[in-house]
């Protein structure tokens, strides 16, 4: 099955305090979208990239994608296909917009946040390997190291979950295409915050593979500064 990656790059960047959509904020001289695409293109498994961008930044997104592709060595085997599409009103609608341009060749779909700009190629490969081994849904995650408390509306602790059973989920999240499209069509719960949550509610078991510290999500200026610093140490 061919592998398509839907890159969600339509976020506003409000929590980052940016004057532009988050994916177009620069870190160490290039946009977060550019960094993300560089990692994706270094995975030999990927044959189709769909960037979902704000309607105001479609041309910019296409320029970033084309530049990233030109910097890579030509793919062997199936030629890389690319699309840039406008996002929707929320993350779920943006992913749906990306799914709408897939075709019958795209048997595996990875959904990735451009804000996890340094998620390494090996992470994409690990997710794909899990899907090709027979799982319908595969997500990367890291063990939770902090003690977690669940509280009620009055901020009173009601539970302390066993952190040995907890995982901090990252992207790319991978799915057999039919599993993901079915979940998007059938699950109407608006409280779900990621595609794995939709698939979980649709009844498909989800397999977890080891995540990667480089795949941290950039949400604040502190996150941006920390990853820029880590890059300087390489």
């Amino acid at each position: 099955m061919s592998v398509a990656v839907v890159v969600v790059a339509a976020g506003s960047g409000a929590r980052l305090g940016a004057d532009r959509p988050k994916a177009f904020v620069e870190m160490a001289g290039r946009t977060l979208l550019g960094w993300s695409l560089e990692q994706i293109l270094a995975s030999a498994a990927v044959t189709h990239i769909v960037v979902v961008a704000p309607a105001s930044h479609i041309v910019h997104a296409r320029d970033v994608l084309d530049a990233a592709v030109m910097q890579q060595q030509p793919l062997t085997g199936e030629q890389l296909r690319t699309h840039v599409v406008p996002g929707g009103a929320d993350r779920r609608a943006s992913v749906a917009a990306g799914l709408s341009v897939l075709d019958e060749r795209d048997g595996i779909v990875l959904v990735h946040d451009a804000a996890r700009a340094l998620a390494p190629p090996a992470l994409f490969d690990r997710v794909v390997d899990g899907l090709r081994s027979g799982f319908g849904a595969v997500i990367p995650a890291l063990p939770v190291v902090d003690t977690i408390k669940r509280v009620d509306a009055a901020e009173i602790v009601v539970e302390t979950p066993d952190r040995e059973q907890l995982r901090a989920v990252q992207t790319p999240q991978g799915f057999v295409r039919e599993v993901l499209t079915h979940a998007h069509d059938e699950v109407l719960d608006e409280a779900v915050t990621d595609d794995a949550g939709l698939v979980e509610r649709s009844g498909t078991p989800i397999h977890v593979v080891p995540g990667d510290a480089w795949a941290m999500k950039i949400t604040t200026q502190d996150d941006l500064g920390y990853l820029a610093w880590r890059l300087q140490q390489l």
Side-chain angles (χ1 to χ4, degrees):
M1 293 186 287
S2 293
V3 178
V5 181
V6 175
V7 185
V8 184
S12 68
R15 285 181 292 177
L16 191 60
D19 60 356
R20 70 199 73 178
K22 185 194 296 186
F24 300 92
V25 171
E26 290 195 355
M27 176 177 67
R30 73 183 77 171
T31 63
L32 298 185
L33 176 59
W35 280 110
S36 182
L37 291 170
E38 178 182 306
Q39 310 309 310
I40 294 168
L41 286 161
S43 169
V46 176
T47 54
H48 188 184
I49 296 175
V50 181
V51 175
V52 185
S56 60
H57 284 66
I58 291 296
V59 173
H60 193 177
R62 169 51 69 181
D63 289 344
V64 173
L65 176 56
D66 288 347
V69 171
M70 288 181 63
Q71 290 175 1
Q72 300 298 314
Q73 296 295 322
L75 291 176
T76 58
E78 184 177 354
Q79 185 174 0
L80 180 71
R81 291 168 285 138
T82 64
H83 286 86
V84 177
V85 298
D90 55 25
R91 188 183 188 284
R92 179 170 180 170
S94 292
V95 174
L99 295 177
S100 71
V101 298
L102 303 184
D103 61 38
E104 67 280 356
R105 290 170 286 183
D106 300 317
I108 288 175
V109 182
L110 308 185
V111 180
H112 184 53
D113 293 334
R116 298 186 186 272
L118 298 180
L123 190 58
F124 289 83
D125 294 340
R126 196 147 60 234
V127 172
V128 171
D129 288 346
L131 292 163
R132 287 183 169 159
S133 72
F135 294 103
V138 177
I139 61 174
L142 294 174
V144 173
V145 296
D146 294 322
T147 297
I148 303 297
K149 303 290 186 182
R150 188 170 68 85
V151 301
D152 62 16
E155 294 295 318
I156 302 298
V157 172
V158 297
E159 182 185 6
T160 303
D162 178 5
R163 67 184 179 190
E164 293 299 319
Q165 299 181 4
L166 300 178
R167 298 293 182 270
V169 177
Q170 302 176 321
T171 68
Q173 298 183 353
F175 311 92
V176 172
R177 179 183 173 187
E178 289 79 7
V179 168
L180 182 57
T181 55
H182 171 75
H184 268 263
D185 291 341
E186 299 298 325
V187 179
L188 303 179
D189 187 349
E190 296 183 357
V192 178
T193 58
D194 67 355
D195 294 277
L198 291 175
V199 170
E200 180 184 353
R201 282 162 176 74
S202 75
T204 298
I206 299 173
H207 180 61
V208 176
V209 297
D212 193 291
W214 281 105
M216 68 172 284
K217 186 177 182 180
I218 297 172
T219 302
T220 67
Q221 282 291 332
D222 285 345
D223 299 332
L224 190 68
Y226 171 69
L227 279 183
W229 174 81
R230 285 198 67 180
L231 284 170
Q232 292 175 350
Q233 309 312 304
L234 296 178

